[in-house]
Amino acid sequence: MNPDCEKPINQDVDKYCQSCGTELIFRLRNRFIIIQPLGRGGFGKTYLAEDTDKLKEKCVVKQLVYQAQGPTANKVIIDLFMREAEQLQQLWANPQIPSLFAYFEEGGYLYLVQQYVEGQDLLKELQEEGCFNGQKIEELLKDLLPVFEAIHMRKVIHRDVKPENIMRRGSDGRLILIDFGVSKQLSKSIASIAGTMVGSLGYAAPEQMESGIAQPSSDLYSLGASCFHLMTGINPWSLWKMQGYGWLNEWRQHLQQPIGSELGEILDQLLQVQAKDRYQSATAVLSDLDIQLKEKLQSTSQLPHRGRRQILLWLGLGLGSVFAYERIRNSSKSNDFETEPSIEPGSEDLSSMPEPLSPDPPSPTLESTSEIPLETFSFEVVTVDIQGEVIDRIPKQSKFFRQDLGNGTTLDMVAMPGGKFLMGSPSSELERQGNEGPQHEVTVAAFYMGKYEVTQAQWEEIMGSNPSSFQGANRPVENISWDEAVRFCQELSQQSGKDYRLPSEAEWEYACRAGTNTPFSNGETITSELANYKSSLTYGSGPTGYYRQQSVEVGSFPPNAFGLYDMHGNVSELCQDTFQLYSTAPKDGSARVNTESNRNRIVRGGSWVHDPQICRSAVRFVISPDKGLTTNGFRLALSVKFAS
C-alpha cells in the first residue's frame, strides 16, 4: 500500500509504488499488514489489514491526517489523540463496540487499529432489503441505545452516527457501533485548529454543524436522523439542502409505511432542533420504549387467547433480547455532559425501604448448617474519609475453610452470613450510572465466597495452562472468558466433590459491600493504598496515587469487613447473571439467566485499568461470554447446601 497515492494498490513483490514511485509501506509497527483501502473521510483514510500478533486476524486501520497545522497545533492534537484513544480503549468490555488493538503516531499520521466486524452496514441493508418498518426501528433502538448509554457514561461522544456506521454482525445479528474515529475533545480541538466540522451532513445535530460542539443529545439526534433514513430511504441531507431544518416538522410525510404513534413521539423528541428539547440521555429513550412495551402487554389482555399469545411472544422476545443496561423511568434532565443519568428526586419511594446493614455485620453462623470444619482468620478493616485519609482501623475475624487443589496449591473460601441489603446505588451517589437503580432490598442466603480472586497458580493446577498476560503465580488469572471460568468451576467441582460456581450478581454486591452503604466498602472514596485501579484519576475529593498499569498479587491491599480482598479493582469479576432490569431482578439473591435472548454476562468491581468510579460497589457492566480480556478475572462462590 501507498496511502498517499490515488492508486495505492501494488503487488506484494513491489518495493515502490507503480503509480508514483514512492517507497511502499508493507507493515505498520512491524505488525499490521495493509490489505486494501476501505474508504476515506474528513480526517483520513481507512484500510483493511491483518494483525500478525493475532494470527493474521483481520482489523481496520484508521489513518488520521493532522499535518500542515504547525508544530504547536500538531503537538496539541497528538497529545489529545493519545488521551482520547486511551479513553476509547476502555470501551472494550462492550460487545457492541469493536475492540481497539493499538493507537500510535508514525510518519506524520495518527493511527487507530480496531477489530474488524464481519457483517453489513445498515445502509447496504436498506438498499438490499428496502425500508425498515416500525417494529424493525424499535428493535434497532433497543439494541443500540444501551451502547450510547455506556459510551456517554464514559464521557465519549461518537459524533458521526449514520447508517453506514452501524453494522449488523453476521454471526448473531447484533448491531455494532463502528467508526468512532475521534471522540469529544480530539474532534473539537481538530475542528478548532483545522476549521473542520466533525460529523456527516444531514445526520449531525444543529449545534454540531454550527459550532462543532457536541453532547450526548447530539448523538441521539443523529440516531433519530438515521432512523428516518432507514424508514424512508431518503438521506436527510437531501431534504436539508431544500428546506433547512424545516424538514424535521414534516418527516412523517416521507414514510413508506405507517408507524405507531408512540414510536412517532419518540422520534419527534429525538429530532428536535434545540438540544434542550431533545432527550438528554439514552436512558430516557429506553425508559419510554419500556413503557410502550408494558402498555402493549397490558392491552393484549383484551385480545382473544390466540392473538394474545402471538403478541406476548413477540413482545417477550423484544424485551428479552435488547436491554443490556438498566432503564430508569425518570432520567437526568440536565443538559450538562458531566451529569450522569440519575433518578429525579422524589421518584423513589424510600419510605418502605429497609435500613442498610450496619457497618459491623453479624458473624457468620455456617458451622451448624455445614459439615465442613471452619477455621478463623484475623484481619484489619481500614476506613477512609471523603479526602481518602484513614479515619479508622478495626480488627476483625471471619471463618473460612481451605480447599486442597493439589501440589501445595490451596483455595480459601470465606463464610458469608445470610442477610438483607439494599442493592444498587442511591440517586445522590457521585458518578452514578443509570443502570444502578432503583435501589431495592435483596435477601441473600448464607454462602461461601473466595477470599481472593482465582490466582494463576490455582488456574494452572486445575486447567493445566496459564493464559494470563501479567504472569505471576499469585496474581489473578486473567485473559479468560466467562465460558472458560465456568469450565474451571466444573473441573474443580468434579475434583473436589463440591459444587463450585460463579457468584450471582446480588451475592457479589452483598459480599463487596460487607454491610456498608458507601460508594466503596472502605468509605466515600478510594486510594491507591486500598486498591489497584487507575489511580492517576480521582473519585470525588480523593487523592491521586501510584498507577500500577497492571494486575498485582492478590491480597496486596486491606480486605473489607467480611475478610474479602480486592473486591475493588485489580481485575473485574465475572458473575453468573445475564443482564436484567432491577425492576424485575430476583430479590432472593439468586442469579437470573436468560440465554435464549442474551448471553452477555455481568462483570463487577472494576480493574487495574479502570477509573475509580468504575470500581464502586454498585457499578455493573456486561461482556460477551466468549471474550477474554486482561482486565477480567473471577472469584468462586459455593452454596452452603452444596458445601458438605
Side-chain angles (χ1 to χ4, degrees):
M1 291 295 298
N2 177 21
D4 294 320
C5 184
E6 290 300 317
K7 297 180 180 180
I9 299 178
N10 292 269
Q11 299 298 316
D12 289 343
V13 296
D14 294 333
K15 293 185 178 180
Y16 297 90
C17 180
Q18 299 303 295
S19 299
C20 65
T22 303
E23 186 174 2
L24 295 174
I25 299 174
F26 287 93
R27 295 192 185 198
L28 290 170
R29 286 286 169 105
N30 199 32
R31 173 180 174 183
F32 304 106
I33 301 175
I34 304 295
I35 299 175
Q36 67 184 52
L38 294 175
R40 68 171 64 199
F43 283 109
K45 303 174 185 178
T46 306
Y47 302 93
L48 179 65
E50 289 180 347
D51 185 352
T52 57
D53 282 4
K54 295 180 178 289
L55 300 177
K56 293 190 175 183
E57 179 179 341
K58 287 184 178 179
C59 57
V60 175
V61 174
K62 296 181 184 179
Q63 178 195 60
L64 307 179
V65 180
Y66 73 96
Q67 312 112 299
Q69 309 298 335
T72 302
N74 286 351
K75 185 179 185 306
V76 170
I77 292 173
I78 293 173
D79 290 346
L80 285 171
F81 169 80
M82 294 301 176
R83 290 206 300 269
E84 293 301 301
E86 182 181 354
Q87 190 178 48
L88 287 175
Q89 195 171 35
Q90 295 184 26
L91 301 177
W92 275 22
N94 193 305
Q96 290 174 263
I97 298 174
S99 299
L100 182 62
F101 291 169
Y103 53 93
F104 51 89
E105 188 273 342
E106 186 173 298
Y109 295 95
L110 300 170
Y111 290 95
L112 286 170
V113 185
Q114 292 182 287
Q115 176 187 15
Y116 176 71
V117 179
E118 293 278 0
Q120 179 174 260
D121 68 59
L122 293 191
L123 181 60
K124 291 179 181 176
E125 184 174 316
L126 169 67
Q127 293 166 346
E128 293 181 4
E129 300 181 15
C131 294
F132 287 31
N133 59 24
Q135 177 182 338
K136 201 169 179 180
I137 290 296
E138 282 190 13
E139 292 170 352
L140 178 153
L141 290 172
K142 291 179 286 189
D143 203 9
L144 275 183
L145 283 165
V147 185
F148 286 104
E149 189 176 40
I151 69 171
H152 292 162
M153 182 276 299
R154 299 296 302 156
K155 308 296 187 290
V156 174
I157 299 177
H158 188 285
R159 299 183 66 93
D160 197 16
V161 180
K162 56 185 177 181
E164 298 99 305
N165 287 339
I166 303 170
M167 297 284 294
R168 190 177 299 280
R169 189 163 52 201
S171 60
D172 58 6
R174 295 298 301 276
L175 297 180
I176 312 298
L177 192 59
I178 67 168
D179 203 18
F180 280 73
V182 286
S183 56
K184 181 185 176 186
Q185 293 185 48
L186 180 61
S187 300
K188 182 178 176 182
S189 297
I190 295 178
S192 63
I193 294 169
T196 306
M197 191 275 295
V198 180
S200 295
L201 297 173
Y203 303 101
E207 65 275 7
Q208 197 173 333
M209 294 275 287
E210 294 166 5
S211 65
I213 297 174
Q215 51 195 333
S217 65
S218 308
D219 275 351
L220 298 179
Y221 175 95
S222 299
L223 180 61
S226 298
C227 290
F228 169 82
H229 189 172
L230 294 169
M231 288 188 296
T232 64
I234 300 172
N235 188 318
W237 174 238
S238 64
L239 295 178
W240 191 92
K241 287 188 292 185
M242 295 184 293
Q243 307 175 44
Y245 292 112
W247 74 271
L248 296 172
N249 298 320
E250 302 173 348
W251 64 267
R252 282 179 174 79
Q253 71 182 23
H254 301 285
L255 291 174
Q256 297 295 304
Q257 48 188 306
I259 61 172
S261 60
E262 299 92 346
L263 177 59
E265 290 172 2
I266 288 174
L267 292 171
D268 277 338
Q269 194 165 346
L270 287 172
L271 292 171
Q272 290 294 311
V273 174
Q274 298 295 325
K276 64 181 178 62
D277 296 329
R278 284 181 227 131
Y279 287 105
Q280 297 304 303
S281 70
T283 307
V285 192
L286 283 168
S287 176
D288 280 359
L289 282 168
D290 192 21
I291 293 169
Q292 290 179 28
L293 285 172
K294 289 178 180 177
E295 290 174 349
K296 289 179 181 178
L297 280 168
Q298 293 170 356
S299 69
T300 60
S301 62
Q302 306 301 318
L303 294 172
H305 178 74
R306 183 178 178 184
R308 182 166 67 249
R309 182 177 181 274
Q310 291 173 336
I311 292 179
L312 285 171
L313 176 62
W314 176 82
L315 288 172
L317 289 172
L319 279 168
S321 64
V322 298
F323 294 110
Y325 292 89
E326 167 71 33
R327 281 97 66 207
I328 303 174
R329 174 73 181 267
N330 296 305
S331 69
S332 170
K333 303 298 181 182
S334 171
N335 219 13
D336 183 0
F337 180 59
E338 300 302 322
T339 302
E340 300 293 338
S342 62
I343 298 177
E344 289 184 336
S347 66
E348 291 176 300
D349 181 9
L350 300 180
S351 60
S352 61
M353 288 290 187
E355 291 296 318
L357 290 174
S358 67
D360 189 12
S363 299
T365 57
L366 298 182
E367 289 177 298
S368 61
T369 58
S370 171
E371 297 177 8
I372 297 179
L374 298 180
E375 304 175 51
T376 299
F377 71 100
S378 301
F379 53 93
E380 184 180 71
V381 178
V382 177
T383 305
V384 297
D385 62 18
I386 197 169
Q387 282 83 34
E389 296 292 331
V390 175
I391 57 175
D392 212 348
R393 295 181 182 270
I394 304 175
K396 291 274 188 178
Q397 289 186 332
S398 284
K399 295 186 180 296
F400 77 106
F401 74 87
R402 179 161 290 168
Q403 180 75 56
D404 184 6
L405 303 184
N407 295 316
T409 304
T410 59
L411 167 71
D412 288 355
M413 298 294 294
V414 180
M416 298 289 103
K420 297 180 180 180
F421 81 113
L422 286 182
M423 189 171 181
S425 61
S427 57
S428 58
E429 186 164 302
L430 182 66
E431 302 285 356
R432 181 185 197 261
Q433 300 177 30
N435 61 6
E436 297 170 19
Q439 282 188 303
H440 55 290
E441 184 186 69
V442 176
T443 301
V444 178
F447 69 106
Y448 295 98
M449 188 79 151
K451 185 177 182 179
Y452 309 107
E453 296 155 334
V454 171
T455 66
Q456 295 173 33
Q458 292 165 343
W459 179 276
E460 192 162 2
E461 186 62 38
I462 299 300
M463 305 299 284
S465 63
N466 185 2
S468 304
S469 296
F470 303 114
Q471 293 280 313
N474 238 11
R475 291 189 183 195
V477 67
E478 28 83 2
N479 218 14
I480 49 100
S481 67
W482 185 93
D483 290 331
E484 290 168 327
V486 169
R487 284 197 290 274
F488 176 92
C489 294
Q490 293 168 345
E491 291 289 335
L492 177 58
S493 297
Q494 186 174 5
Q495 175 180 304
S496 66
K498 300 180 178 68
D499 193 9
Y500 285 99
R501 57 177 173 81
L502 296 177
S504 71
E505 184 185 13
E507 286 175 331
W508 190 95
E509 185 172 332
Y510 175 75
C512 177
R513 289 189 178 280
T516 64
N517 57 11
T518 48
F520 305 92
S521 60
N522 52 267
E524 293 291 344
T525 191
I526 196 169
T527 73
S528 61
E529 285 75 40
L530 297 174
N532 180 25
Y533 62 98
K534 189 174 183 179
S535 48
S536 56
L537 301 177
T538 64
Y539 180 80
S541 301
T544 59
Y546 174 58
Y547 179 24
R548 297 168 179 87
Q549 303 186 56
Q550 58 185 306
S551 67
V552 298
E553 290 192 357
V554 300
S556 297
F557 304 96
N560 67 11
F562 280 158
L564 301 178
Y565 291 79
D566 303 309
M567 296 298 288
H568 304 292
N570 213 20
V571 289
S572 300
E573 300 182 14
L574 301 163
C575 298
Q576 287 189 53
D577 309 56
T578 51
F579 183 81
Q580 59 194 304
L581 300 177
Y582 272 165
S583 59
T584 59
K587 296 183 179 180
D588 61 356
S590 61
R592 184 169 125 181
V593 178
N594 182 7
T595 56
E596 294 180 0
S597 58
N598 178 20
R599 292 193 68 227
N600 292 335
R601 301 292 174 155
I602 292 289
V603 63
R604 289 291 210 126
S607 76
W608 57 270
V609 78
H610 286 121
D611 297 358
Q613 64 263 27
I614 303 303
C615 301
R616 290 178 296 112
S617 300
V619 171
R620 50 206 305 250
F621 284 96
V622 295
I623 189 171
S624 174
D626 58 358
K627 188 169 187 175
L629 297 174
T630 59
T631 55
N632 286 351
F634 68 106
R635 79 176 66 217
L636 294 167
L638 183 67
S639 299
V640 171
K641 62 182 178 180
F642 294 121
S644 59

